[in-house]
Amino acid sequence: MAEPCIREILPTAEAFKTFWKARGPFAYALTSKEFPPVLLAPEEWVFGNDRVAVLKELMGFSKEKMAFVRAPFNPDNTAVLRPENLCAWKLRHFPEAWNGIVCDAFVPEGHLTRAVMDELVSMGEKEGAAGIASAFFSLLARQLDGMGYVLIGPGKKYKYAATRSYLEEWEADDADAGL
């Protein structure tokens, strides 16, 4: 079982560095780059050592008892009108706050798209709840920036999140704001 993620409100770069020294380092750090943030409190971060666990924590996956399930329709049945890009899977208990967010992996109400199936094939996974989950989270991680999030992961040669450039920019913004 993956170790739990930590959620922490860190309003300044200095608070981030203090937290990182006391509780870190972590392989992944996620926050919002938009205001107001979606699925996070203002200035809130999610930290963890597993990318999927961090994404699940953001979504409230365990708390909301989310699951990947077969969609209640047959996508091959052309007698029923529906968007062509849907696949036969959906995310049960999908975060309502994401219904207005654009992402290649899903449409409102958690219906998954054919992009998830394409990812499944490219990853060499088998269709089933576990394979769909792997493909979904792989695609989601690449889409986060466009969804208004920042996910800092490990650098190419490192096992922990590469926070240096993000912190330098944040410190400059704090200095400009007189903090």
Side-chain angles (χ1 to χ4, degrees):
M1 183 171 141
E3 59 188 78
C5 295
I6 298 171
R7 292 179 89 115
E8 191 75 23
I9 295 177
L10 302 167
T12 64
E14 193 57 42
F16 183 98
K17 290 191 322 192
T18 300
F19 173 82
W20 191 263
K21 285 180 184 174
R23 305 280 307 268
F26 299 95
Y28 295 93
L30 179 140
T31 194
S32 178
K33 65 179 186 175
E34 306 285 328
F35 191 86
V38 176
L39 301 181
L40 292 169
E43 313 294 347
E44 186 174 27
W45 287 79
V46 178
F47 298 96
N49 290 316
D50 179 78
R51 181 177 72 176
V52 171
V54 168
L55 297 175
K56 284 182 172 183
E57 178 65 29
L58 169 68
M59 296 171 67
F61 208 88
S62 294
K63 185 174 101 181
E64 299 298 329
K65 297 182 170 101
M66 292 181 192
F68 292 94
V69 296
R70 289 288 211 177
F73 64 82
N74 176 356
D76 297 326
N77 180 356
T78 57
V80 177
L81 291 177
R82 71 179 61 81
E84 289 181 18
N85 70 329
L86 296 184
C87 73
W89 290 87
K90 75 175 280 181
L91 182 54
R92 186 179 63 209
H93 303 295
F94 183 75
E96 187 176 323
W98 277 6
N99 280 337
I101 289 182
V102 176
C103 177
D104 289 347
F106 59 81
V107 296
E109 304 304 321
H111 290 279
L112 303 186
T113 66
R114 293 195 186 273
V116 173
M117 298 306 289
D118 294 343
E119 186 75 9
L120 181 87
V121 170
S122 74
M123 293 174 67
E125 294 277 350
K126 292 185 180 176
E127 187 173 345
I132 292 294
S134 292
F136 173 82
F137 287 115
S138 175
L139 185 56
L140 180 65
R142 291 195 313 272
Q143 298 277 310
L144 284 175
D145 185 61
M147 295 170 64
Y149 297 97
V150 173
L151 176 64
I152 303 171
K156 292 179 182 172
K157 298 179 187 175
Y158 304 99
K159 103 184 210 188
Y160 300 115
T163 60
R164 177 169 292 180
S165 62
Y166 187 86
L167 281 173
E168 287 171 356
E169 186 177 324
W170 193 1
E171 287 171 328
D173 290 345
D174 283 357
D176 290 345
L179 300 175

